[in-house]
Amino acid sequence: MNRRETLWQDAIGAWLRFWFELPSLATLACLRIGVGIIVFYSLFIYSFDLTSHLGPEGWGRLDVLRLVDPVAWPFSLFDWVDALWWLWTVHFVAMLIAGAFTLGIVPSLTGLLSLLFYLSYGH
């Protein structure tokens, strides 16, 4: 075998190892903690102006947004929020779930719920 074929086989082997070998649990834990911290921080920053952004009479009122773009993303947990106490309750639960994901408490469930909440803030 010549050097070019060996280099090609090494490159393909590295590619396959990257995608198909299981990473160590420490690597996955570091990724989970990093993503959890970013999600928790983002939700925490929303706390400073939550009612202006997501409140019933805030900038993103659902009836106005539907008129502007009727084919927009059709789902957000905040579509059903009609009182400020309910808004703050949902926000606190979202932060609690993001914190549980960061700490590793049932990460498969809390990760999915964190994603659902996080996407709801954006939509």
Side-chain angles (χ1 to χ4, degrees), residues 65-97:
L65 292 174
R66 295 288 183 236
L67 285 174
V68 172
D69 190 6
V71 293
W73 176 257
F75 177 75
S76 175
L77 293 173
F78 295 103
D79 290 349
W80 297 295
V81 172
D82 57 353
L84 289 180
W85 69 269
W86 187 235
L87 174 70
W88 282 102
T89 303
V90 170
H91 179 67
F92 180 73
V93 168
M95 287 182 59
L96 196 66
I97 289 173

Side-chain angles (χ1 to χ4, degrees), residues 39-89:
V39 169
F40 185 83
Y41 174 76
S42 298
L43 294 178
F44 177 73
I45 292 300
Y46 267 109
S47 300
F48 294 109
D49 210 14
L50 186 68
T51 56
S52 295
H53 289 285
L54 300 171
E57 296 299 319
W59 295 342
R61 288 187 17 221
L62 185 61
D63 54 345
V64 175
L65 292 174
R66 295 288 183 236
L67 285 174
V68 172
D69 190 6
V71 293
W73 176 257
F75 177 75
S76 175
L77 293 173
F78 295 103
D79 290 349
W80 297 295
V81 172
D82 57 353
L84 289 180
W85 69 269
W86 187 235
L87 174 70
W88 282 102
T89 303

